[in-house]
Amino acid sequence: MNIVNKNLWRIVLCTLSMSVFAQKTQDSIPRETILQMLKYDGITAFGGLKHAYTRPFHWQKDDFLTAGAVIVGTAVLYSFDAESSRFFIRQEKNAPRILKDFGRYFGAPQNNYMLSAGIYGVGLFTRNEKWRHTGVLLIASATAAGFIQSVSKTVVGRARPGTLEGRSTFKPFNKEGAFHSFPSGHSVLSFTTAHAIARQFDNWWVKGGIYTVGLISPISRLSSGAHWLTDVTLGVLLSVVIVDSIDNYMKANNKYNLEKKRKISWKMNLGPGRIGLVGTF
């Protein structure tokens, strides 16, 4: 019994010593400054941006099949553009004013970036890795998707429904906003924000609520006659692809230590002439 008691005390003292040493070691590690974190986040955002733009060069067979399915689906939707536009425009007068205003403001670039910067700022100044990750994801995704949609609008030059020019009118490189319909910028930014935030939750009820909010802008753009159904649909799909690509890049490289640490299960191992503490992980 005396031998057992002595061994137990040795284990307790050893454990306490290790805890004190670990705490002193942790306290001795200097915390990153705000500038260091800003630099790290900027490099991470740029890396995500580059990753998103270069993914098509690494596509496999399944990726090309998915792209083909999107093209075919878009062609099918294109045949319904005129009818769907008339349908949504008829619903505009019955839509609540608060939803129309929210849809217009939420998808606007300046408001979208203010929200993204706010989320990132909370993560930066509170040193919360989850919020920092989400903020960087939002900013990188909005930048990547926003640049693509801005260039596409000018290059494609599709007429908006409100011009009454028809779904098949295209004037590439036209400077007038009336010919910047494809894709929908509001849809791109609003759903990029919704999808980036929704990916951080596991609860599908929460995800559903976030996606519902993210779809307000796309639907409001249809009812206002600002975009065709294909403009909005491709904008939403672009958002999903960009966000998924950048988020996967960040998580694969564990940029913000979000991998769940495996818990260690401790149990006492007693036997004839031996005593020990075994950790299983």
Side-chain angles (χ1 to χ4, degrees):
M1 182 64 70
N2 290 333
I3 294 175
V4 173
N5 287 335
K6 286 181 180 179
N7 286 331
L8 284 173
W9 275 109
R10 286 173 182 171
I11 292 172
V12 172
L13 290 173
C14 181
T15 303
L16 289 174
S17 299
M18 291 175 65
S19 299
V20 171
F21 175 76
Q23 184 63 45
K24 286 184 177 180
T25 302
Q26 184 177 9
D27 292 341
S28 65
I29 298 175
R31 300 175 72 186
E32 286 185 300
T33 65
I34 296 296
L35 287 178
Q36 287 174 327
M37 289 191 290
L38 278 170
K39 180 181 178 181
Y40 179 85
D41 295 338
I43 294 173
T44 300
F46 179 76
L49 197 75
K50 183 172 67 174
H51 180 80
Y53 285 157
T54 57
R55 285 317 299 161
F57 298 107
H58 303 280
W59 278 3
Q60 304 297 320
K61 181 179 178 180
D62 290 345
D63 298 311
F64 284 105
L65 289 175
T66 301
V70 169
I71 293 173
V72 172
T74 302
V76 173
L77 285 179
Y78 179 78
S79 64
F80 294 100
D81 262 346
E83 291 80 0
S84 60
S85 180
R86 288 194 292 268
F87 170 78
F88 280 104
I89 289 175
R90 286 198 300 268
Q91 313 310 313
E92 200 271 342
K93 61 182 179 181
N94 298 320
R97 183 70 186 179
I98 187 173
L99 291 181
K100 291 189 287 187
D101 290 342
F102 178 84
R104 184 170 64 257
Y105 289 116
F106 186 55
Q110 64 273 20
N111 298 323
N112 186 274
Y113 273 101
M114 283 177 61
L115 174 62
S116 300
I119 292 174
Y120 172 67
V122 171
L124 179 67
F125 292 105
T126 63
R127 299 176 184 272
N128 185 300
E129 297 289 88
K130 185 75 172 179
W131 282 71
R132 275 180 69 198
H133 170 94
T134 305
V136 172
L137 175 62
L138 284 167
I139 293 171
S141 299
T143 302
F147 178 76
I148 292 175
Q149 65 89 17
S150 294
V151 173
S152 299
K153 281 176 179 290
T154 303
V155 173
V156 176
R158 190 183 193 187
R160 298 181 186 273
T163 63
L164 303 179
E165 294 275 355
R167 66 181 183 181
S168 302
T169 301
F170 297 89
K171 295 183 179 180
F173 301 101
N174 192 299
K175 296 181 179 180
E176 295 182 30
F179 294 92
H180 289 176
S181 185
F182 181 85
S184 167
H186 278 67
S187 299
V188 168
L189 291 180
S190 64
F191 207 78
T192 292
T193 301
H195 189 47
I197 295 175
R199 276 182 66 94
Q200 312 311 314
F201 295 90
D202 296 323
N203 188 300
W204 278 100
W205 288 103
V206 175
K207 286 177 177 288
I210 295 172
Y211 285 132
T212 299
V213 173
L215 286 171
I216 293 176
S217 283
I219 293 175
S220 69
R221 300 304 282 170
L222 289 170
S223 63
S224 66
H227 290 284
W228 306 95
L229 182 59
T230 45
D231 301 335
V232 167
T233 303
L234 264 295
V236 169
L237 290 176
L238 174 64
S239 301
V240 172
V241 171
I242 293 293
V243 171
D244 285 355
S245 179
I246 295 177
D247 198 29
N248 290 336
Y249 160 79
M250 293 171 66
K251 288 179 177 177
N253 293 280
N254 199 24
K255 290 293 185 178
Y256 293 92
N257 302 313
L258 298 182
E259 288 186 357
K260 293 182 179 179
K261 295 180 179 180
R262 301 179 66 181
K263 294 182 179 179
I264 301 177
S265 176
W266 296 98
K267 66 178 181 179
M268 193 74 73
N269 186 7
L270 299 173
R274 72 176 187 276
I275 181 171
L277 196 62
V278 179
T280 304
F281 56 92

